[in-house]
């Protein structure tokens, strides 16, 4: 019989969406606490999960032996510090993106997790949806063939209201701009489907808002499987949309454009050889749609912590590669060079990319 995982959610901003998802599966998770420095926000978050208490002390959470898993939904500059503290307290950790602000900090997390026997789960929820599940299944069955090109659009609208949270748009608080806070999810879909990034060149600019960090980007990448990738990013679009299009040898897959639900539907799958379209359609029709977004991620985490096989749980190594890619993108933009991954251990930005 599976063991119920007892959770504390730290941060009642995006953390509220996490709380709601845990509460949807009460047979898998019990939200014991929602922690926020703002007591009212903590109460609002706790009210979303029956039996959860509102607390304002992270130390109280770490000291509670009845909590198995700490879910960190705080501003990015706190991610590494809080993750390390929770691991040292004997907790498993879920950490929102970005996992850390440097390659060095991720390596510290890995070392402490290994020493304590606890796990860190990076948040990459976009893979949990029927559309992405179908393309992944086609790859697993060898029906996609070689990846040719993938094109990503992260075209969102972010104005003054978004930056009312004072840490947003700052190097000290958000630890970066659109490539850190928005495009990382689409980039993770690429690496999960077509291999880690080996080469990247990037142009970054601040063109939309009066902020410190970038809000526009044009990025070109090559993956370990040879795919050529373009990533177009702006926070100055008319409305918000995300799009993922992958041209493989045998199939071209195109996502819908919902900004938060790119992994769901509707996706289209077109066979390069029309004679094989029926074969492709049969596979797509047979794929069971997973629980979407956070619910799918948390369901996989529960499986992993109970010794069961998850669907495709994001690994710590994916979180590490995401941070290394962000580092390489900033290095490329600043130096005007193609960057090759993995980066050397003595790379100038190994300990952080902040200017």
């Amino acid at each position: 019989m599976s063991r119920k995982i007892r959770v504390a959610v730290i941060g009642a901003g995006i953390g509220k969406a996490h709380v709601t998802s845990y509460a949807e599966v009460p047979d898998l998770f019990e939200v014991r606490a929602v922690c926020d420095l703002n007591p009212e926000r903590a109460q609002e978050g706790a009210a979303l999960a029956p039996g959860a208490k509102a607390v304002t002390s992270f130390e109280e959470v770490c000291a509670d032996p009845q909590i198995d898993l700490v879910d960190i939904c705080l501003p990015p500059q706190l991610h590494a510090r809080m993750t390390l503290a929770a691991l040292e307290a004997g907790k498993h950790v879920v950490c929102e993106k970005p996992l850390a602000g440097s390659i060095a900090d991720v390596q510290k997390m890995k070392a402490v997790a290994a020493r304590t026997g606890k796990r860190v789960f990076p948040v990459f929820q976009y893979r949990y949806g029927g559309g992405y599940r179908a393309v992944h299944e086609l790859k697993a069955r060898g029906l996609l063939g070689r990846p040719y090109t993938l094109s990503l659009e992260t075209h969102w609208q972010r104005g003054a209201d978004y930056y009312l949270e004072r840490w947003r748009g700052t190097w000290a608080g958000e630890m970066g701009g659109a490539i850190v806070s928005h495009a990382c999810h689409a980039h993770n879909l690429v690496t999960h489907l077509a291999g880690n990034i080996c080469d990247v060149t990037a142009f970054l600019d601040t063109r939309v808002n009066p902020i410190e960090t970038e809000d526009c980007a044009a990025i070109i990448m090559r993956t370990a499987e040879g795919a050529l990738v373009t990533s177009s990013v702006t926070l100055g679009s008319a409305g918000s949309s995300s799009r993922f299009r992958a041209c493989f040898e045998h199939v071209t897959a195109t996502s819908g454009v919902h900004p938060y639900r790119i992994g769901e539907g509707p996706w289209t799958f077109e066979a390069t050889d029309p004679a094989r379209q029926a074969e492709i359609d049969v596979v797509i029709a047979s794929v069971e749609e997973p629980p979407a977004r956070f619910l799918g991620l948390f369901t996989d985490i529960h499986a992993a912590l109970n010794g069961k096989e998850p669907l495709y749980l994001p690994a710590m190594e994916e979180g590490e590669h995401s941070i290394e890619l962000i580092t390489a993108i900033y290095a490329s933009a600043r130096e005007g060079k193609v960057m090759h991954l993995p980066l050397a251990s003595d790379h100038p930005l190994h300990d952080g990319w902040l200017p």
Side-chain angles (χ1 to χ4, degrees):
M1 182 176 178
S2 295
R3 180 173 66 92
K4 186 181 291 189
I5 306 299
R6 301 165 298 183
V7 184
V9 176
I10 314 301
I14 185 61
K16 290 177 183 176
H18 289 220
V19 173
T20 300
S21 294
Y22 288 122
E24 286 187 52
V25 281
D27 53 327
L28 305 184
F29 293 96
E30 175 191 355
V31 180
R32 290 189 60 86
V34 176
C35 178
D36 197 287
L37 290 176
N38 182 322
E40 291 183 6
R41 283 176 37 138
Q43 289 284 357
E44 291 171 1
L48 299 173
K53 63 179 180 179
V55 300
T56 58
S57 168
F58 179 70
E59 291 73 18
E60 179 182 341
V61 169
C62 287
D64 188 344
Q66 299 300 310
I67 291 172
D68 307 304
L69 177 69
V70 171
D71 185 337
I72 296 172
C73 300
L74 296 168
Q77 85 273 18
L78 299 172
H79 288 182
R81 187 197 323 169
M82 296 302 200
T83 295
L84 291 168
L87 289 171
E88 293 286 8
K91 315 298 184 186
H92 299 291
V93 179
V94 172
C95 185
E96 263 288 357
K97 47 78 178 164
L99 184 59
S102 71
I103 298 168
D105 278 345
V106 176
Q107 292 175 345
K108 290 177 187 175
M109 291 180 189
K110 290 175 66 178
V112 174
R115 174 168 55 79
T116 60
K118 298 303 175 181
R119 297 186 63 174
V120 177
F121 303 101
V123 173
F124 291 119
Q125 75 274 19
Y126 278 28
R127 67 184 63 178
Y128 294 97
Y132 183 80
R133 176 75 182 90
V135 73
H136 189 269
E137 182 64 20
L138 290 171
K139 180 175 183 178
R141 299 193 188 194
L143 295 174
L144 291 180
R146 292 178 297 146
Y148 291 155
T149 64
L150 295 89
S151 60
L152 315 174
E153 294 177 0
T154 306
H155 292 170
W156 287 40
Q157 187 175 43
R158 296 299 201 193
D161 57 334
Y162 179 76
Y163 294 102
L164 290 176
E165 291 278 2
R166 289 179 295 174
W167 55 268
R168 287 179 173 159
T170 68
W171 289 109
E174 199 162 18
M175 305 194 79
I179 66 165
V180 173
S181 59
H182 291 71
C184 63
H185 286 300
H187 294 166
N188 176 255
L189 290 184
V190 168
T191 59
H192 190 241
L193 191 63
N196 282 352
I197 304 302
C198 296
D199 307 288
V200 60
T201 187
F203 295 90
L204 308 178
D205 206 347
T206 307
R207 300 180 58 80
V208 182
N209 296 287
I211 57 175
E212 296 177 4
T213 57
E214 81 284 345
D215 54 22
C216 292
I219 305 167
I220 301 174
M221 299 174 275
R222 186 195 306 270
T223 77
E225 296 182 19
L228 302 180
V229 184
T230 59
S231 177
S232 171
V233 184
T234 184
L235 302 185
S237 175
S240 295
S241 67
S242 296
R243 186 170 180 264
F244 180 97
R245 182 173 172 84
C247 297
F248 282 79
E249 183 179 4
H250 302 308
V251 178
T252 293
T254 306
S255 76
V257 296
H258 191 291
Y260 290 102
R261 300 183 175 275
I262 191 174
E264 298 175 55
W267 281 50
T268 62
F269 302 90
E270 184 176 358
T272 306
D273 179 359
R276 300 191 65 183
Q277 188 66 51
E279 177 186 10
I280 300 300
D281 291 344
V282 167
V283 173
I284 294 167
S286 72
V287 172
E288 182 176 348
E289 186 163 341
R293 289 173 46 78
F294 296 125
L295 185 57
L297 173 64
F298 298 157
T299 299
D300 258 4
I301 289 172
H302 182 272
L305 291 180
N306 277 281
K308 298 180 180 180
E309 187 67 27
L311 175 60
Y312 38 41
L313 178 65
M316 180 63 170
E317 290 71 22
E318 291 183 71
E320 182 176 22
H321 184 70
S322 175
I323 296 305
E324 185 174 41
L325 177 58
I326 291 170
T327 304
I329 289 172
Y330 280 124
S332 173
R334 292 170 189 174
E335 298 179 30
K337 297 179 181 178
V338 176
M339 303 304 298
H340 308 289
L341 288 77
L343 298 175
S345 59
D346 61 351
H347 188 277
L349 300 187
H350 181 267
D351 292 333
W353 56 72
L354 299 190

